[in-house]
Amino acid sequence: MVIIIKNKFDIEKMRIVGKITAKVLNMIQKYITPGISTGELDDICKDYIYNKKKVISACLGYQGYPKYTCISRNNVVCHGIPSYKEKLKNGDILNIDISIIKDGYFGDSSKMFIVGQCSNLAKKLCYITQKSLYEAIKIVKPNLPLRNIGKKIQKIAEKNNFSVVREYCGHGIGKNFHEEPYVLHYDDHRNKILLKEGMIFTIEPMINSGKRYIYCEKDKWTVKTKDNSLSAQYEHTILVTQTGYEVLTLRKNEKII
Ligand code: MF3
Ligand code: CO
């Protein structure tokens, strides 16, 4: 219905929580190694989030979600539940999705990690997914039609013979985990929304190496590709500024290129 425009105070709080969210993703990098389980990676993130940063995971308890992070490996599209039984192997690709609450404000970001050496296809999928996010971020500015974001992502994915998952989208974020505007990662000509300074939303494309179709496991969370192809996702929380954008979850050493 209504898109909440953030004020200076909100934006400062969103910068703070965004930075913490980004730091979790940098912190976990050195633990990504063959043999470690996704359950152990979740434990390490939990310890860092609660004991080091003294903040809260937005995942735990969200619609009954049982863990602190989502870890989605290979053919898992999103919402993979960390498990001590799921051990990383050389050549795996995985997404770690971190959602944090500090002072009532939410931060949300995810990235791909590669375990050892992966296939050229897996590498390309991760690269193209990140590129689609970056190219979409770079066009963000006041008065941009919101649909141009999805149009950009779809074009890059499909040019590379990959497909865009349609069942999940980016979302406005602030004092709510998910709010308007909802940001599709494919073109929807019916969407007439124009971006305005002070909007904050995520862009979080999920791109498959095969067809776009997905299904959900009996655990009600784990989403997989129907054709067992690989899936990749990158996510940032973005503020629309007077002249363009600010990436609130930008990591140290990360450049939007
Ligand atoms: N982080 C996801 C998002 O981008 C939501 C995960 S909800 C959870 O919106 F419960 F699965 F953690
Ligand atoms: Co999100």
Side-chain angles (χ1 to χ4, degrees):
M1 266 322 284
V2 276
I3 300 174
I4 300 167
I5 299 297
K6 275 69 180 179
N7 64 30
K8 277 210 161 110
F9 180 86
D10 298 326
I11 290 167
E12 202 39 55
K13 291 292 190 185
M14 290 297 285
R15 284 194 179 109
I16 293 167
V17 72
K19 206 158 279 172
I20 295 170
T21 308
K23 280 185 175 168
V24 182
L25 288 168
N26 270 344
M27 176 281 301
I28 202 65
Q29 173 68 65
K30 67 171 179 285
Y31 299 98
I32 306 292
T33 174
I36 195 167
S37 70
T38 56
E40 290 168 293
L41 292 172
D42 187 67
D43 285 342
I44 295 164
C45 289
K46 175 202 171 185
D47 181 62
Y48 184 83
I49 291 165
Y50 285 76
N51 299 325
K52 184 115 199 237
K53 292 296 165 188
K54 316 266 187 226
V55 294
I56 291 172
S57 160
C59 295
L60 184 73
Y62 174 79
Q63 296 184 179
Y65 188 75
K67 290 285 189 175
Y68 298 88
T69 65
C70 295
I71 306 186
S72 305
R73 194 173 62 107
N74 297 336
N75 61 330
V76 179
V77 174
C78 64
H79 304 164
I81 303 175
S83 160
Y84 300 116
K85 290 187 197 149
E86 184 184 29
K87 294 203 165 82
L88 302 189
K89 294 192 313 288
N90 184 54
D92 284 344
I93 57 169
L94 61 145
N95 174 279
I96 303 185
D97 192 343
I98 302 295
S99 308
I100 298 289
I101 313 172
K102 180 178 168 62
D103 298 338
Y105 289 84
F106 288 75
D108 197 1
S109 186
S110 82
K111 71 180 289 286
M112 297 301 293
F113 297 88
I114 294 172
V115 184
Q117 292 275 91
C118 69
S119 68
N120 287 335
L121 177 66
K123 219 178 288 175
K124 182 179 173 195
L125 178 66
C126 294
Y127 174 76
I128 293 298
T129 305
Q130 184 177 56
K131 181 182 166 71
S132 76
L133 172 60
Y134 285 178
E135 294 295 331
I137 289 172
K138 285 193 278 183
I139 62 174
V140 168
K141 62 175 185 188
N143 292 318
L144 181 85
L146 178 63
R147 68 177 277 208
N148 287 19
I149 291 175
K151 205 191 285 188
K152 175 70 83 179
I153 290 165
Q154 183 174 20
K155 191 169 174 197
I156 292 171
E158 293 181 356
K159 196 174 65 191
N160 286 281
N161 284 320
F162 297 147
S163 64
V164 178
V165 172
R166 299 201 180 191
E167 288 80 355
Y168 298 92
C169 59
H171 47 91
I173 182 168
K175 287 191 244 193
N176 303 298
F177 194 175
H178 303 108
E179 63 185 35
E180 296 204 33
Y182 291 95
V183 182
L184 301 187
H185 303 116
Y186 58 95
D187 190 24
D188 174 12
H189 65 90
R190 293 163 300 185
N191 193 304
K192 301 285 183 252
I193 295 171
L194 300 182
L195 300 187
K196 292 279 163 276
E197 181 182 357
M199 287 183 184
I200 298 181
F201 51 81
T202 73
I203 308 176
E204 48 180 302
M206 297 168 200
I207 308 287
N208 297 347
S209 67
K211 294 204 161 44
R212 68 176 178 85
Y213 304 102
I214 60 173
Y215 70 96
C216 189
E217 288 279 11
K218 283 199 279 294
D219 65 16
K220 298 279 179 68
W221 284 105
T222 311
V223 176
K224 290 182 173 168
T225 56
K226 241 183 197 157
D227 61 8
N228 264 321
S229 63
L230 297 170
S231 191
Q233 181 180 26
Y234 284 82
E235 174 176 21
H236 271 310
T237 300
I238 311 295
L239 164 70
V240 183
T241 65
Q242 195 185 348
T243 54
Y245 63 86
E246 181 178 329
V247 181
L248 300 176
T249 47
L250 193 71
R251 297 179 296 276
K252 197 171 169 221
N253 297 327
E254 184 184 15
K255 293 270 174 310
I256 305 298
I257 47 168

